[in-house]
Amino acid sequence: MIVFDLLCSGGHRFEGWFGSAADFSSQKERRLLSCPSCGSVSVERVPSASRVNFGAPEPKALPAKPQQPQPTPEMQGKDPFAIAQMLYSRMLDEMLTKSEDVGKQFPAEARKIFYQEAPARPIRGEATQQEHDELAEEGIPVLRLPVPPRLN
Ligand SMILES: [Zn+2]
């Protein structure tokens, strides 16, 4: 089906649906076409700006999809526990490689940093359970790692 914009002799504009352009001509010749407003059978096709096709439709902007974390290939097929372990291990590596190893001076150094007597920096080292508890009681943020500090 095609739609033609039609204009009668009385100036009424209306739409007509036809099987083809030939169908329109045939109905017009047999005076089967008439204006719905005035009944005039003097009807002409008029160009319809609204149906002019300028070619390919404009690409419509797709709605943005929510970003989902993409699993890296090495994570694919692994169970969440293994992935968590891998991420944890990486985090440890990061902390170990970016922190200064102060060894057994850790409790003293952590205190100095906390009280701003030493430059703030990530440090790692050793502390006994008692030293750790003392630091914690003073409100000094320390994190116990379930791995021995790595020595480079
Ligand atoms: Zn009319």
Side-chain angles (χ1 to χ4, degrees):
M1 295 289 284
I2 50 174
V3 184
F4 287 150
D5 274 10
L6 307 171
L7 190 68
C8 82
S9 54
H12 305 117
R13 205 172 172 124
F14 58 99
E15 284 184 346
W17 290 76
F18 307 95
S20 66
D23 183 32
F24 162 76
S25 302
S26 164
Q27 289 192 36
K28 186 174 180 294
E29 275 170 32
R30 287 182 285 154
R31 304 177 80 83
L32 294 174
L33 274 177
S34 62
C35 170
S37 300
C38 66
S40 166
V41 292
S42 178
V43 173
E44 295 298 330
R45 259 182 78 185
V46 290
S48 168
S50 66
R51 287 188 182 77
V52 172
N53 188 350
F54 291 106
E58 284 184 37
K60 282 181 184 163
L62 294 172
K65 284 183 184 174
Q67 285 286 327
Q68 288 190 347
Q70 293 294 316
T72 62
E74 60 181 329
M75 288 182 189
Q76 247 145 28
K78 292 195 176 159
D79 67 76
F81 183 73
I83 292 171
Q85 269 197 321
M86 188 172 11
L87 293 176
Y88 183 65
S89 150
R90 272 188 206 162
M91 187 188 76
L92 285 181
D93 278 349
E94 182 100 332
M95 290 171 71
L96 291 175
T97 52
K98 288 190 178 169
S99 59
E100 182 185 330
D101 184 13
V102 294
K104 294 191 186 301
Q105 295 302 309
F106 180 81
E109 206 60 36
R111 241 179 220 106
K112 279 190 206 167
I113 292 173
F114 184 73
Y115 294 112
Q116 300 184 341
E117 293 163 10
R121 65 202 190 279
I123 58 169
R124 68 181 191 277
E126 296 169 39
T128 64
Q129 181 64 51
Q130 193 191 335
E131 287 168 334
H132 172 268
D133 290 346
E134 285 170 2
L135 289 171
E137 276 170 27
E138 288 179 51
I140 298 170
V142 286
L143 180 67
R144 286 184 78 86
L145 301 179
V147 291
R150 209 174 287 177
L151 296 173
N152 289 334

